[in-house]
Amino acid sequence: MLYLVHMIVEIPSTMPAEEAARIKAEEKAYSQRLQQEGQWPHLWRVVGEYANYSVFDVESNDALHEALSQLPLFPYMKITVTPLAKHPSSIR
């Protein structure tokens, strides 16, 4: 199943820089693993924001929730999920 996911990251300004850097490094490693596994085939930055739009390709709502909730930055995110279906005019 395909999902369009919008993530907005809001790290508290009170978080020590070293802790923020550690969490961001963990986030990068985890997200790259999901990309390599094919669960996160598209990831785009939103210009001028600490946010992204992503496409996830996972087997179920539960699988998506599991993947998202394991993101190290998950506690600091606002996430919007839109399930996707094939468009009847698509040539793919």
Side-chain angles (χ1 to χ4, degrees), residues 3-7 27 30 34 39-40 52 54 56 58 61-75 77 79-81:
Y3 300 88
L4 177 65
V5 179
H6 183 213
M7 298 179 227
E27 179 87 6
Y30 178 67
L34 291 181
Q39 294 182 60
W40 196 336
N52 73 73
S54 297
F56 281 79
V58 294
N61 294 338
D62 291 333
L64 179 63
H65 180 76
E66 180 67 22
L68 294 175
S69 65
Q70 296 302 312
L71 288 165
L73 286 170
F74 180 77
M77 290 181 174
I79 299 176
T80 304
V81 176

Side-chain angles (χ1 to χ4, degrees), residues 1-2 10 12 18 21 23 29 33-34 37 39 41 47 55 58-59 67 71-72 74 81 87-88 90:
M1 297 178 70
L2 295 176
E10 297 177 336
E18 300 80 25
I23 293 171
R33 181 171 61 87
L34 291 181
E37 292 172 357
Q39 294 182 60
V47 175
V55 173
V58 294
E59 63 188 40
L71 288 165
F74 180 77
V81 176
H87 194 284
S90 174

Side-chain angles (χ1 to χ4, degrees), residues 15-29:
M15 181 181 289
E18 300 80 25
E19 183 179 353
R22 178 188 56 78
I23 293 171
K24 289 176 187 179
E26 291 173 2
E27 179 87 6
K28 183 176 183 177

